[in-house]
Amino acid sequence: MACQLAAEGVGYRYGGGQDAVVGIDFAMGAGVLGLLGPNGAGKSTLMRVLSTLTRATTGRVSWNGADIARQPDALRRELGYLPQDFGVYPSLTAREFLQYLAAVKGLHSREAGERVVDCLAKVGLSDAADRRLGDFSGGMRQRVGIAQALINQPRLLIVDEPTVGLDPEERMRFRHLISDLAADRLVILSTHIVSDIEASATTLAVMSKGRLLYFGPSATLLLQARGHVWERTVTESAVPAARAGRVISNSLRVEGGMKLRIVASESPSDDAILCVPDLDEAYLWLLARDGAR
Amino acid sequence: MAALRRFVAILLADLRDRTRSTRFWVVMALVGLATWWCFPALETGKVAVGLDDTRAYYSSAWAGLSLGLMYSTVLAWLGFYLVRGTLVRDFDTRVWQLLVTTPMTRPGYLLAKWASHMAVFTLVMLLGLVVGAIAQWVRAEDRSLDVLELVKPVLVLAMPSLTLTAFFAVLFDMVPKLRRTGGNVLFFFVWLLLFAVTGINMDPSGAEWARQTWFSDPSGMTLVQRNLLVQLAQTAPELDAGSMTVGMSTIEAGAKLFTWTHWQVDLRDLGGRLLWALVSVMGILLLAPALDWAAARTPRGNVAGHHAGRRLAWLDRALRALERSASGVLLSAELRLVLRQRRWWWWLLLAGAWVVQLCAPANAAGIAVIVAWMISLDILARGILREREGHTAALLFTAPHSIQRLLLARIATAMAITWLAALPMLLRLMVSAPTTAPILLLAASNVALAGLALGALCRSARPYELLMAMLAYAGIQGLGPLAVPAVSSGLLLGHVIALPLFAALLFLSWPHLNTIDAPRLPWLRRAGTVSSSPAPFA
C-alpha cells in the first residue's frame, strides 16, 4: 500500500498576521521522521496541519496524492495521532475507551475487539485493560494514548512528545515499537528528547521560527557539524568567561575545574580540543548557525 | 503596601483575562443594545420602568433611576452568569497552586476576586450610562444633562445589589457542588427569593412599616417606590400611581408623564443601601477560612466535572446487546459515560420522579417530569462540550467522519435521557390522553436538542442552564413549553417549530465547536500579549 506524505510551501498564519509556519516543503514515504526544534518553532502547528486538525493558510499537504484540505477523510482513515496534551474519560476502562475510539474511527465491532487486545498488549497494558482510566497513573494514560493511535493500523502515525511520563523501560519499548512500525508506514515523531530521535528516526527535520532548517538523514547533519564542537577544561573562576556568548552543550565538574563542550565554528581557545559531535550538538550547531538562539 | 500590590495584581490579571475574550465584548454589545431598549419612545406605548401607567419624562434623573433599577434587578441576576467562574478557573488550571505558595492572604485573594467582579459590573454600568445619556438626548423629552443625577441612582441602587451578586459568584465558585450546572440553576431561585420575595413583602403601597423603614430590599426598588409615591403625592396627586414596574410593559392608552429631575436620598436610606454592601464584604471575609478546603475539592487531571463514578455492572449487561455494531458501541459508550457519573441521589430522585409520574395527579406528574429533566440538566447542557472540557478533541476529530458519528451518538444519548426521565408519564399519557403523548415526546426531544444546540452555539453550558431554570420555574406554575399536561395547540406548534430549528442550529454549530482556544481579539494577538492556537478544520 502507498504511503507518501508531501508538503508543498505549507504555511500557517494567525489571524493577527503572525506566521507560525512558513514555506515547509518535504516529501517522505515509509520510515521515521524525527521533528526537532526549540519551543515556539512551529512543530505543534505543523503536526496539527499534518493531522488535519488545522488547515494550512498557504501551500498544500497531500497524502498519496490527495489534498488533505479538500479530502481530509482520505488521510484520517489511515491516520493515528497522539497529541501532546489529551484527556481520557475516567469512568471508562482502558478497553472501553479504546473500543469507543475504534467505533469513532469506524472500525467494525469484531475487528475493533481484536485490535484493542493487540494494542493493549503492544503498550504493556493487557493486565490493566479492565481497570478504569481514573485509576491510571500519568505514564499509563500516555500508553493508552499510544494504543489509541495504533488502533486503526495507521499508515501515517503522528506522535507529539510520546515518551513524556514514561519510565526508561517503557521508553525503550516505545522506541522498539516505533522502529517495528516504520517498516511499512510513515511515523512522524516530534520530541525534545534528542536520544528518542537518534534511536529511531531515519530522517530528521529541524524547525526554527516556523521554517524548516534541515531535512535529511541525521548522519548527514552529524557530518555537517563535524569540526564545530570543542572540549576544554577551565578553572572554576574562568567558567563564567568561558561560557559567555558561547553555546555550551555540556558542563562536567572535574578535579580542578569544569570540562566544557562548546559548539562553535572556530576554536574557542588554544587549549580546546576538537571532538566528534553527537546529535544534540549537531542540532545546537544548526540552530546557532541560523541565529535562532 | 505589599498586600495592596498583590490585591491589585490579582484584580488586574483577572480583568485582563476576562476582557481579552470575545465573549466579554459580545456581552458588552448586548448590554448596550438592552440599555437602549430601556428607553422606548413615547409613541410606542411601552414603558421599561414606571409606576402603574405613568413614567417620568426622560430626564437625566429618570434615565439614571431606570438604569439603576434595571441593573439592580436584571444585571444582579444575569451578571452572576457573566462574572462567575474565576475561582474555578484558578482551581482547574492549578494557578491556585502557584498562588498558594506566595504570601498572599486568603481574605485578600477572595476580596480581589470579589472586586474583580465589581470592576466588570462597573464597566457594564459605565457603558449603560453612556447609552442612557445618548437615549436621553435622542428621545428629546428633556435634554438637560445632569451627570450627578444620572450617576447617583446607579451608585445607590445598583452597586449594593451587585455586591451581593459578586458575593454569590464567589460563594458558588467555592462550594464544589455549586461550581457548575447545579449552581447556575440554584442562583436563579436564590435571585428570585432574594430580590422578588423581599421586594414584594416590603411593598410600601401595602404596609405602613414599609413606608417608614430605612431598610430596603436588595434591589432598592422599595426605596425608590417609597420616594416616588411621596413626591408624586405632593407634585402630581392626580396620577394616583401605586405599583412599580421594572421590565417592559405596554400601556394601550399611552403612558402618563410626570416630571422627575432630582432624586432626594437621605442618609438613613443610604445607610440601608450600604448595609447590603457591608453584608457582602463580611460574607467574603467569612468565606476566607474555607478557601483551602474549597481548592482541595477540585477534580484530578484537569477534567472539570468528570470523575470515575460507579462501575454499574448491570448497565454493562443491559448495553451488551447494543454493542454488535460500531454505532452501537459508540452509543453504549456514550450512555456509560453519562450514567456512570450519576450520583446516588440522582437515581433516587429519578425513581421518586417516576413514582410521582405514575401515581400523582396530572399536574404533579407534569412537575415530576420537569424535575426529572432538571436533575439531568448537566448531561444535557454539557454533553456537547465534552471534548472541549475533557481535552479529547484531538483524539476524536482526527478520525474519519467522526463529526457525524459523534453528533448522532450524542443526540441519541441526550434524547434517551430525556425520554427515559419522562417514561412513566409518557406511558400514562399513551393510555389516558393519547393525543398529548406525542407533545411530551416532542418536548423531551426539544429539551435534549436545545441543550446540545445552545451548548454548541454558545460554547458554554450557562445559557441553556439559565433558560431551563426559567422554563422550569414557569412550567411548575403550569406555564410555558415544559408544562405538557396543560396542552394547547400553541404548545404543540411551538414544539413542532422548535425541533427542526434546534436541529439545524446544532448541525451548523457543532463542526465549529471544537476550536482549541476561545476566540481572541486580533488586536491583542498582534500586540503579542495573547497566544492562540490555529483554527481547526470546519
Side-chain angles (χ1 to χ4, degrees), chain A residues 14 48 54, chain B residues 20-22 388 391 393 459 512-521 525 530-536:
Chain A
Y14 289 115
R48 291 175 57 79
T54 299
Chain B
R20 285 175 185 175
S21 79
T22 307
R388 281 174 77 86
H391 308 290
R459 301 171 180 217
H512 302 279
L513 171 65
N514 287 288
T515 50
I516 298 306
D517 266 358
R520 300 281 180 162
L521 300 169
R525 209 185 291 137
V530 175
S531 65
S532 174
S533 291

Side-chain angles (χ1 to χ4, degrees), chain A residues 12 52-53 87 91 96 104 132 134, chain B residues 300 308-309 340 391 405 536-537:
Chain A
Y12 185 87
T52 74
L53 280 168
S91 63
E96 288 167 348
V104 174
R132 285 201 280 173
Chain B
R300 204 159 53 104
R340 278 186 182 165
H391 308 290
R405 281 195 189 105
F537 273 71

Side-chain angles (χ1 to χ4, degrees), chain A residues 12 14-16 18 45 48 51-55 68-69 72-73 76-77 79 81 83 85-93 96-97 99-101 103-109 130 132 134-136 141 148, chain B residues 300 306-311 316 323-326 329-330 333-334 336-337 340-341 386-387 390-402 405-406 410 516 522 525-526 532-538:
Chain A
Y12 185 87
Y14 289 115
Q18 189 187 339
T45 303
R48 291 175 57 79
S51 60
T52 74
L53 280 168
T54 299
R55 199 190 292 261
I68 67 163
D73 283 346
R76 285 171 180 171
R77 272 190 284 275
L79 172 70
Y81 178 51
D85 296 311
F86 65 95
V88 294
Y89 299 136
S91 63
L92 297 188
T93 64
E96 288 167 348
F97 184 62
Q99 278 171 341
Y100 173 69
L101 286 163
V104 174
K105 291 185 181 192
L107 268 66
H108 291 294
S109 196
D130 295 312
R132 285 201 280 173
D135 301 329
F136 273 29
R141 285 188 195 201
Q148 67 78 31
Chain B
R300 204 159 53 104
H306 290 195
H307 52 88
R310 287 168 212 280
R311 182 65 193 255
D316 291 345
E323 292 171 353
R324 296 202 180 107
S325 65
V329 169
L330 205 55
E334 291 275 340
R336 272 200 193 96
L337 277 170
R340 278 186 182 165
Q341 292 186 7
R386 189 187 302 138
E387 283 74 26
H391 308 290
T392 51
L395 299 185
L396 293 165
F397 296 118
T398 48
H401 308 295
S402 55
R405 281 195 189 105
L406 279 169
R410 208 61 51 90
I516 298 306
R525 209 185 291 137
R526 266 199 299 278
S532 174
S533 291
F537 273 71

Side-chain angles (χ1 to χ4, degrees), chain A residues 20 104 137 157 174 185 231 234 238 243 245 250 253 261 278:
Chain A
V104 174
S137 66
L157 179 63
F174 178 75
R185 72 194 81 201
E231 189 175 280
V234 294
R243 279 181 175 162
N250 202 3
R253 192 168 288 281
R261 280 178 75 95
D278 59 22

Side-chain angles (χ1 to χ4, degrees), chain A:
Chain A
M1 281 172 75
C3 158
Q4 183 73 23
L5 183 73
E8 298 161 43
V10 170
Y12 185 87
R13 177 171 285 182
Y14 289 115
Q18 189 187 339
D19 286 316
V21 170
V22 185
I24 302 286
D25 289 293
F26 71 85
M28 193 170 166
V32 179
L33 170 63
L35 188 55
L36 274 176
N39 291 331
K43 300 190 299 292
S44 288
T45 303
L46 180 62
M47 300 282 262
R48 291 175 57 79
V49 168
L50 298 179
S51 60
T52 74
L53 280 168
T54 299
R55 199 190 292 261
T57 49
T58 56
R60 176 178 185 266
V61 178
S62 60
W63 170 249
N64 292 332
D67 185 342
I68 67 163
R70 291 169 191 268
Q71 300 166 262
D73 283 346
L75 172 61
R76 285 171 180 171
R77 272 190 284 275
E78 300 183 304
L79 172 70
Y81 178 51
L82 174 68
Q84 190 175 345
D85 296 311
F86 65 95
V88 294
Y89 299 136
S91 63
L92 297 188
T93 64
R95 189 192 306 278
E96 288 167 348
F97 184 62
L98 293 182
Q99 278 171 341
Y100 173 69
L101 286 163
V104 174
K105 291 185 181 192
L107 268 66
H108 291 294
S109 196
R110 180 171 294 174
E111 185 194 358
E114 289 164 8
R115 289 297 307 150
V116 167
V117 171
D118 188 34
C119 290
L120 284 169
K122 276 197 168 99
V123 297
L125 284 177
S126 297
D127 292 343
D130 295 312
R131 273 174 57 192
R132 285 201 280 173
L133 295 171
D135 301 329
F136 273 29
S137 66
M140 288 169 86
R141 285 188 195 201
Q142 189 69 9
R143 283 147 70 185
V144 170
I146 294 166
Q148 67 78 31
L150 302 174
I151 200 88
N152 57 333
Q153 306 200 64
R155 308 283 302 165
L156 171 62
L157 179 63
I158 299 180
V159 286
D160 201 352
E161 300 288 350
T163 54
V164 169
L166 298 186
D167 61 33
E169 191 187 344
E170 276 308 321
R171 209 150 105 201
M172 292 304 147
R173 185 206 284 259
F174 178 75
R175 285 178 182 176
H176 297 325
L177 181 62
I178 290 293
S179 299
D180 293 349
L181 290 169
D184 58 352
R185 72 194 81 201
L186 170 57
V187 180
I188 302 180
L189 167 68
S190 167
T191 181
H192 286 109
I193 303 169
V194 177
S195 60
D196 278 352
I197 285 186
E198 203 162 22
S200 42
T202 51
T203 306
L204 179 67
V206 180
M207 285 185 74
S208 176
K209 297 175 183 169
R211 294 173 191 278
L212 202 54
L213 285 188
Y214 177 83
F215 186 88
S218 46
T220 308
L221 180 63
L222 285 167
L223 271 177
Q224 288 179 11
R226 282 210 169 179
H228 300 106
V229 179
W230 312 82
E231 189 175 280
R232 65 181 289 220
T233 303
V234 294
T235 59
E236 192 76 37
S237 57
V239 169
R243 279 181 175 162
R246 302 265 179 212
V247 177
I248 309 293
S249 66
N250 202 3
S251 304
L252 179 68
R253 192 168 288 281
V254 291
E255 200 174 328
M258 192 82 83
K259 188 191 277 185
L260 304 176
R261 280 178 75 95
I262 301 163
V263 178
S265 34
E266 289 171 3
S267 173
S269 68
D270 293 343
D271 60 343
I273 304 161
L274 196 60
C275 314
V276 178
D278 59 22
L279 195 57
D280 262 322
E281 287 158 341
Y283 165 68
L284 288 173
W285 165 76
L286 190 66
L287 292 182
R289 191 188 65 173
D290 186 60
R293 293 212 159 181

